[in-house]
Amino acid sequence: MTSAAAAGASPAPVAPRKRKSVTGTRRTVAALFLLPALVLLGALVVYPIGYSIVRSFYNASGDGFSGVDNYKALFTDDGIRTALKNNIIWVVFAPTVSTALGLIFAVLTERVRWGTAFKLVVFMPMAISMLAAGIIFRLVYDQDPDKGVANAVWVGVHDTFAQSSAFPKAHPGRESPLRPDSGGFITSAAVHTGQTVTLPLVGVAPDQMPSGAKPAAAAKADPGKITGTTWQDFTRGKGVGRLGAPDPSELGYPGMKIEAVKDGKVVASAKAAADGTFTLPASADGAQLRLPASNFKAPYNGVDWLGPSLVTPAIIGSYVWMWAGFAMVLIAAGLAGVPRELLEAARVDGANEWQVFRKVTVPLLAPVLAVVTVTLMINVLKVFDLVFIIAPGSSQDDANVLALELYRKGFAESQPGIASAIAVFLLLLVIPVMAFNIRRLRREGRR
């Protein structure tokens, strides 16, 4: 009976085994593996941030507590205010233009055979360091058209429509019949038909004379007209040549414009031939001869790209050159995932290509465009290299940004307190943008 009862009794419950992690490792071992990374993170990120925050409340010498004075300087110091204004310009325009160009390149290159090669060329600047890109664009923006590509192109286009004078430094010499007049020169006395007039000038270097210039010739008198010569009245060597008369080695001023002026009005005009001779009609009788200011217009020297007014847009242009390829690659990857049937359905419904792009493609790419724009915003808040290298010393104050001002305050001006305050301020500016980007990435991941 006892044995039967014992046989019918249920077995004692077995205690559940302790569940191990998927990898079979214990938490202590995992913590040990993470410890080096945590130490490095603390040493390289957490400690510097904490130290900068503490240091931002000390004065320049570091031996006295100054409270929030350094933070007040962020909004009262002229250099920092200029840097803050420029940072706003950078954040508004640089990411927007880079993303827009990346979108255009990504959409257009999808339809051509050589799209891959084009993408490679556009993305190639990303392989160049900021230092190298800064040096390249410092040369591109050089004021001298013979060195700077930007001004070489600009001057070439300008001179196509408005040719500069070949005689910008020409002026009357000794015993000249010409006197200054409104940027040009005019004869002191009136001239009459049948008279030959000499209009000698000096001041043009021999290597700057027009290639078509020929040896100056004395004009022949014409009873019903006014004739004359305008030329370079200078011969090398002391006491060589005749003053006020063409010599064999002296060249004429081809293309020099001569105007006959009566009572302040131009009654006739002519242009000098290759040997400097010119002829005016009888209507010029009794007029004064004037060489207008257009003859002495200085050659166009281009745009001062790195001057105070254009230095920031110029540097933003170099940034766009570098980062448009980055935007293009990310947007092209997002474009590859767009359902083609949606685009085809829009075309079947009668939408043209612009409407498909604006109403279908861009909305579908909105998440990618947001990620690219926010990433570039974080990047431009910290821009330093391009501004430091491209902007010359004369306009670096006008191109100043927060990261550059941090460097100048901390190292050039020995004000580490203010430099730390700028660093903390930059961190506060970056954190909301980073948080937005992380939240969007998590939202995309959940989808």
Side-chain angles (χ1 to χ4, degrees), residues 15-93:
R17 292 185 179 181
K18 196 170 184 179
R19 192 173 182 181
K20 293 185 178 180
S21 65
V22 176
T23 59
T25 58
R26 290 177 294 182
R27 292 182 180 177
T28 306
V29 177
L32 289 175
F33 276 104
L34 289 174
L35 185 61
L38 293 174
V39 171
L40 286 175
L41 186 67
L44 300 179
V45 178
V46 178
Y47 173 74
I49 291 175
Y51 183 78
S52 296
I53 293 173
V54 173
R55 195 71 181 80
S56 66
F57 293 102
Y58 282 79
N59 58 20
S61 61
D63 55 3
F65 184 77
S66 62
V68 295
D69 290 347
N70 292 328
Y71 290 95
K72 290 180 181 177
L74 297 179
F75 304 99
T76 56
D77 184 274
D78 290 337
I80 300 176
R81 290 168 64 184
T82 301
L84 183 58
K85 180 195 72 174
N86 287 336
N87 262 100
I88 294 172
I89 295 173
W90 271 88
V91 168
V92 170
F93 290 101

Side-chain angles (χ1 to χ4, degrees), residues 4 10 48 109 128 141 222 243 267 298 328 391 399-400 427:
S10 59
T109 53
I128 303 174
Y141 291 132
D222 189 328
L243 190 65
V267 295
M328 177 195 66
N400 201 9
L427 178 64

